[in-house]
């Protein structure tokens, strides 16, 4: 049943992507060009219709932008046997698919095909909205009800917040009385927290007028791994690591240690 739910959405996604690509590609040669420029490999169109080519392109999109647990690397699968890491397959796929989505967006935006560029901008905007917009919307809603604004929360995190709260999205849930209020750490509830930093990074990249797809991709890759290095070295102001879920103490071990 669990796998059936995933497969249902993959089927829907496959059909939706096919409908998108039908408006982008008019010949099999255009699909072959997409495979060469976007995927990075040659595509043999011999004996294949336009429908066949679009079918294969849509399947590639789904395999690389939807969680596919058969693609989890062996090393990540083996981590499940060790007393470190928590639910490692899911964050591994979140990192892989999010990086692929942003990488695809950059390549599509750099394409000479105007319809493919439009698709890339829509993909990037959608990722930014879904992954980064939820926390912002909840924060603004909480601010209206509690009167505690973003500046006040930043001051709290800077002066009083615990080390694990410094870069978290803290949501106030009560009004301040005598300088005291209650809050929750939204980062713990968000399954996308592991990749929100790269989303913000890629938005900053496109805020600059002069950049190339290669430079943008290099910066994107750095944003995925730099935080991990900062935390491992105990550097000040280190951001939550996108790799912490793989190397922090497991829930089972923590229960024995504590």
């Amino acid at each position: 049943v669990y796998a059936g739910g995933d497969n249902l959405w993959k089927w829907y996604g496959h059909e939706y992507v096919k409908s998108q690509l039908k408006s982008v590609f008019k010949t099999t040669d255009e699909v072959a060009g997409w495979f060469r420029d976007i995927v990075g490999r040659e595509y043999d169109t011999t004996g294949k219709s336009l429908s066949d080519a679009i079918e294969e392109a849509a399947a590639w999109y789904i395999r690389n932008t939807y969680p596919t647990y058969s693609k989890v690397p062996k090393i990540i699968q083996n981590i499940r046997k060790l007393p470190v890491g928590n639910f490692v397959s899911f964050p591994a796929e979140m990192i892989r698919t999010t990086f692929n989505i942003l990488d695809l967006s950059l390549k599509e935006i750099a394409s000479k095909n105007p319809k493919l560029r439009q698709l890339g901008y829509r993909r990037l905007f959608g990722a930014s909205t879904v992954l980064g917009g939820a926390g912002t919307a909840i924060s603004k809603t909480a601010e209206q009800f509690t009167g505690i604004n973003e500046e006040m929360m930043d001051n709290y995190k800077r002066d009083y917040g615990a080390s694990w709260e410094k870069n978290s999205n803290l949501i106030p849930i009560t009004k301040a009385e005598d300088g005291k209020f209650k809050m929750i750490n939204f980062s713990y509830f968000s399954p996308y927290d592991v990749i929100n930093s790269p989303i913000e990074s890629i938005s900053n990249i496109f805020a600059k007028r002069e950049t190339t797809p290669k430079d943008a991709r290099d910066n994107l890759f750095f944003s995925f791994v730099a935080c991990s290095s900062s935390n491992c070295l105990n550097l000040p102001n280190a951001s939550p690591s996108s790799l912490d879920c793989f190397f922090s103490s497991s829930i089972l071990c923590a229960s024995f240690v504590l």
Side-chain angles (χ1 to χ4, degrees):
V1 175
Y2 181 82
D6 282 351
N7 292 335
L8 175 63
W9 285 110
K10 287 179 182 177
W11 171 82
Y12 173 81
H14 182 255
E15 294 302 310
Y16 180 72
V17 171
K18 279 201 304 183
S19 68
Q20 286 182 312
L21 297 183
K22 286 178 181 178
S23 66
V24 175
F25 303 127
K26 301 303 179 184
T27 66
T28 55
D29 288 339
E30 289 183 359
V31 181
W34 175 85
F35 270 99
R36 182 179 60 255
D37 299 335
I38 305 298
V39 179
R41 65 179 174 87
E42 295 297 326
Y43 178 75
D44 186 6
T45 60
T46 304
K48 295 181 179 179
S49 65
L50 177 60
S51 179
D52 293 334
I54 289 178
E55 179 82 22
E56 292 186 41
W60 187 91
Y61 267 114
I62 299 304
R63 281 196 306 272
N64 289 280
T65 59
Y66 278 54
T68 305
Y69 295 107
S70 61
K71 297 182 76 66
V72 175
K74 193 70 176 179
I75 187 173
I76 299 298
Q77 295 180 27
N78 289 335
I79 289 178
R80 291 181 297 186
K81 304 173 185 178
L82 302 175
V84 295
N86 296 291
F87 314 110
V88 294
S89 293
F90 177 74
E93 278 303 279
M94 289 297 294
I95 291 172
R96 181 186 72 87
T97 55
T98 302
F99 185 89
N100 286 343
I101 289 171
L102 300 180
D103 186 36
L104 278 169
S105 300
L106 295 175
K107 290 178 178 178
E108 289 168 341
I109 290 171
S111 171
K112 295 180 180 179
N113 185 327
K115 291 186 177 180
L116 196 58
R117 287 200 302 271
Q118 183 182 29
L119 194 63
Y121 279 115
R122 289 173 60 187
R123 191 184 311 283
L124 182 61
F125 178 77
S128 301
T129 301
V130 172
L131 303 180
T136 301
I138 293 174
S139 296
K140 293 299 182 183
T141 302
E143 180 181 325
Q144 294 299 316
F145 282 99
T146 65
I148 300 174
N149 57 35
E150 183 178 358
E151 182 181 357
M152 295 168 67
M153 293 304 300
D154 288 341
N155 290 338
Y156 164 80
K157 287 190 287 185
R158 184 186 66 247
D159 298 331
Y160 304 106
S163 58
W164 59 84
E165 294 177 330
K166 296 295 185 183
N167 295 287
S168 298
N169 186 9
L170 304 180
I171 308 296
I173 57 175
T174 65
K175 294 183 178 181
E177 295 183 6
D178 298 325
K180 299 178 181 180
F181 60 92
K182 294 182 179 180
M183 63 188 173
I184 60 172
N185 190 333
F186 181 74
S187 296
Y188 289 154
F189 297 92
S190 173
Y192 303 110
D193 187 62
V194 70
I195 38 78
N196 274 344
S197 291
I199 290 287
E200 294 176 6
S201 174
I202 202 65
S203 298
N204 292 334
I205 290 170
F206 272 93
K208 301 176 182 178
R209 290 183 176 273
E210 297 182 4
T211 188
T212 65
K214 183 180 183 304
D215 290 338
R217 187 183 188 187
D218 290 343
N219 279 282
L220 173 62
F221 178 77
F222 178 78
S223 69
F224 270 97
V225 299
C227 293
S228 179
S229 302
S230 297
N231 280 331
C232 289
L233 296 174
N234 292 319
L235 297 179
N237 301 320
S239 300
S241 169
S242 58
L243 306 182
D244 280 350
C245 47
F246 305 117
F247 301 112
S248 59
S249 299
S250 69
I251 294 175
L252 177 62
C253 273
S255 63
F256 286 110
V257 172
L258 298 176

